[in-house]
Amino acid sequence: MITVPQECRFTEPLPLDCGRSLEGVVIRYETAGKLNSDASNAILVCHALTGDAHVCGKHDPSDKKPGWWDAMIGPGKYIDTDRYFVIGTNVLGGCSGSTGPQSVDPVSGKPYRLNFPVITIADMVRAQKRVIDHLGIKQLLAVIGGSMGGMQVLQWAVSYPDAMRAIVPIATAANFSPQNIAFDWVAREAIRNDVNWKNGDYAPENSPERGLATARMLAHITYLSEETLGRKFGRSLQNKEDYDFDFTHDFAVESYLEHQGRRFVERFDANAYLFITRATDYFDLTAETGGDLAAALKNVQAKFLVVSFSSDWLFPTRQSLAIVNALLRDRKEVSFCEIRSGYGHDAFLLEVDALGRMVRDFLRKQEVRQ
Amino acid sequence: MITVPQECRFTEPLPLDCGRSLEGVVIRYETAGKLNSDASNAILVCHALTGDAHVCGKHDPSDKKPGWWDAMIGPGKYIDTDRYFVIGTNVLGGCSGSTGPQSVDPVSGKPYRLNFPVITIADMVRAQKRVIDHLGIKQLLAVIGGSMGGMQVLQWAVSYPDAMRAIVPIATAANFSPQNIAFDWVAREAIRNDVNWKNGDYAPENSPERGLATARMLAHITYLSEETLGRKFGRSLQNKEDYDFDFTHDFAVESYLEHQGRRFVERFDANAYLFITRATDYFDLTAETGGDLAAALKNVQAKFLVVSFSSDWLFPTRQSLAIVNALLRDRKEVSFCEIRSGYGHDAFLLEVDALGRMVRDFLRKQEVRQ
């Protein structure tokens, strides 16, 4: 399946939570499948921290890899593009086609860099809503996403209660935990300490790659479970019989992290990493209800399928249960499943069959108008 | 109680696991209490990653703070210096009085820096053994320590089986987990990425403070439980009503981390941090027994009291249980307790009463010659 990157350019300024607004915002999006005649089969897929609009298919038959959730989305797959019209967008603040800190500010004519406004998850969702409006969709069948994608999903249900029939927040939370805020702080310090960062004014050919790689390596540890690390690497040495007694990578797990860091800097921008992680820090559905999640969710209309993974310690099951319990207090319709998995947070991308079957069946039920 | 820093200077070179040996090694140590006539009341206390020889008391009555385990050790305290002769040493490779990477190499006349040999936990213990010999102690009553101190404790029991009657490894493991190796890798990357690091050749007044602070902040997250972070900070903002929409510290947990980082660089050296963390990475009691811990422990003679803490995710209880189970397979005498605590890994320093009572009673039993 071939998917084509498209752009939605906003004619009106986009108001933001920080009080500023952005002119000339562009949101990159892709679609797969066909919108039916009453526009009732659209599913918005929200990506995680470093994802993009390319959720499935290939841009060109020669592409080595398909979109990031191709195992889940496509003709005949769990999110069946023969049946549904699937939309992926790149988040506001990103670096994969949507307006972000490296974009040129149409007002100043120069790249925003650190002058980009600090955006929130609600700002990302506000931008996505315009894309959905642009596509002529009044009500989405579902909004689905994991991790930071799940935060967007939850925000959709709160910001636009009648804009979707169902939501599927996966491996996520109603607010970002202090432990996760702390990890983000350290990750951003690693970037800002890089001599090439220059307060955000780096040249593309001389970017803070080492700092960004360090941030990614740290994040990567939090995506894996201790079990995965033990099973996959243990204390194995990297192509050697004994320790080198130095600071190069002796251990397989060290080589693996280095590889992940190196690969990441080829595709991601350091300033975008700062802004997007900050948006996750700020995410708190209960900010305006004094911590009361049931109150925050009391106007939602969508049916919920909440999914967590047993070994996910970045977004542990009890954070999903907090959402479920708040919805039950509100007498809302909610299904919940903790999938047993050893993969940690990454399970939301790896446990395709267990998750896929559940999502497929849940979506089928939503098709029946009640 | 006043304690006095002392030095033990080795006349013979110290052989190391890496194959090299070190000339003119100095180990800083302190003692409290009195060695009895048959030298049977000596307890060696091993410090954690960034500790030192100053385990209890003050060097001067005007000192603001006593030694790092003063809540545990002193006259009438759980490790009672009216009863025991307590010895603390600074580890080889450290920066608090013992020979380490910032020391002058007596052969070249210049500081070692990165030419310092990559040392191991067994090397640290080998150096401590010389201090104990120097003090005329044939057999210690006990060797006690938490975290990296616990690794030294375990290594003592294996390297010198008849050199102590009892050991108390606390919040530790028989080998360093791949997750911990991964965190160490990221921490060292943060230091090595600092433009001031200069491959280890930094001047004291221009040291890689930001990198070292970042490493410390990361480590600090792993010392706390999610529960502690939630209870202590939650998502509280730091002296403000709303987000600043910038990258300074909005959250109390961010200010706290920054403070920890800043305080740490005042007392610790970046190169020492590299070498000591590497020693923990390399720690694996089962390296020579193909992963068989019972085989690795089969010659130990000491009685064991193994202690873990329920919310410690850096050295989880199951790693302590692995030690206990291996000892039971070897038909050794072992006591074990998991202390219920919400403090995470830091509990080994904070749960003074629960831990102290257990250690006190265990030590009393060891005094009775059997």
Side-chain angles (χ1 to χ4, degrees), chain B residues 38-215:
Chain B
D38 62 350
S40 66
N41 70 334
I43 295 175
L44 175 67
V45 172
C46 300
H47 71 71
L49 195 65
T50 66
D52 55 31
H54 187 35
V55 295
C56 66
K58 293 182 170 184
H59 291 154
D60 186 278
S62 70
D63 286 357
K64 278 192 190 144
K65 291 176 93 178
W68 60 268
W69 223 10
D70 190 74
M72 182 71 90
I73 306 168
K77 295 184 183 176
Y78 295 114
I79 299 178
D80 187 351
T81 51
D82 289 339
R83 197 170 189 101
Y84 305 118
F85 179 66
V86 175
I87 307 147
T89 75
N90 180 222
V91 295
L92 181 72
C95 55
S96 305
S98 290
T99 297
Q102 302 309 84
S103 305
V104 172
D105 176 356
V107 178
S108 72
K110 287 185 289 196
Y112 289 102
R113 315 280 191 171
L114 283 208
N115 292 324
F116 196 74
V118 169
I119 44 147
T120 65
I121 299 290
D123 293 331
M124 295 176 184
V125 166
R126 201 172 292 127
Q128 286 161 357
K129 179 66 162 66
R130 289 209 180 167
V131 177
I132 300 307
D133 290 346
H134 161 80
L135 292 169
I137 297 160
K138 291 229 155 49
Q139 190 182 49
L140 292 157
L141 178 64
V143 187
I144 302 180
S147 196
M148 189 185 85
M151 297 179 196
Q152 295 161 58
V153 165
L154 292 167
Q155 187 67 54
W156 262 94
V158 169
S159 295
Y160 308 105
D162 55 1
M164 79 294 295
R165 300 179 68 182
I167 74 164
V168 186
I170 303 163
T172 195
N175 53 36
F176 209 56
S177 77
Q179 187 178 64
N180 291 355
I181 291 172
F183 278 126
D184 270 359
W185 178 265
V186 173
R188 286 194 300 267
E189 280 295 286
I191 292 170
R192 300 197 294 183
N193 289 353
D194 190 311
V195 68
N196 286 343
W197 182 59
K198 299 176 195 297
N199 215 27
D201 285 330
Y202 48 85
E205 66 281 8
N206 203 17
S207 72
E209 286 194 354
R210 294 191 63 184
L212 182 59
T214 303

Side-chain angles (χ1 to χ4, degrees), chain A residues 17-19 114 117-120 123 175-179 181-190 192-195 210-211 214-215 217-218 221-222 224-226 229-230 233-235 243-251 253-255 257-258 271 274-275 277-278 280-284 287 313-314 316 318-319, chain B residues 17-19 114 117-120 123 175-179 181-190 192-195 210-211 214-215 217-218 221-222 224-226 229-230 233-235 243-251 253-255 257-258 271 274-275 277-278 280-284 287 313-314 316 318-319:
Chain A
D17 283 349
C18 66
L114 283 209
V118 169
I119 45 147
T120 64
D123 293 330
N175 53 35
F176 209 57
S177 76
Q179 188 179 64
I181 292 172
F183 278 126
D184 270 359
W185 179 264
V186 173
R188 285 194 299 267
E189 280 294 287
R192 300 198 293 183
N193 289 353
D194 190 311
V195 67
R210 294 190 63 184
T214 303
M217 292 192 285
L218 171 55
I221 299 171
T222 69
L224 304 177
S225 68
E226 223 211 324
L229 283 165
F233 306 106
R235 295 183 44 88
Y243 300 145
D244 279 341
F245 291 97
D246 64 20
F247 297 106
T248 60
H249 29 75
D250 272 311
F251 295 97
V253 67
E254 296 173 330
S255 295
L257 283 180
E258 260 222 327
N271 282 342
L274 299 180
F275 281 92
T277 56
R278 200 52 165 167
T280 63
D281 294 348
Y282 280 5
F283 182 65
D284 182 5
W313 59 277
L314 196 63
R318 89 184 145 56
Q319 299 182 339
Chain B
D17 282 351
C18 66
L114 283 208
V118 169
I119 44 147
T120 65
D123 293 331
N175 53 36
F176 209 56
S177 77
Q179 187 178 64
I181 291 172
F183 278 126
D184 270 359
W185 178 265
V186 173
R188 286 194 300 267
E189 280 295 286
R192 300 197 294 183
N193 289 353
D194 190 311
V195 68
R210 294 191 63 184
T214 303
M217 292 191 286
L218 171 55
I221 300 172
T222 68
L224 304 177
S225 68
E226 223 210 326
L229 283 164
F233 305 107
R235 294 181 46 86
Y243 300 144
D244 280 340
F245 291 97
D246 65 18
F247 297 106
T248 59
H249 28 74
D250 273 310
F251 295 97
V253 66
E254 295 173 332
S255 295
L257 283 180
E258 260 221 328
N271 282 341
L274 299 180
F275 281 92
T277 55
R278 200 53 165 165
T280 63
D281 294 348
Y282 281 4
F283 183 65
D284 182 5
W313 59 278
L314 196 64
R318 89 184 144 57
Q319 298 182 338

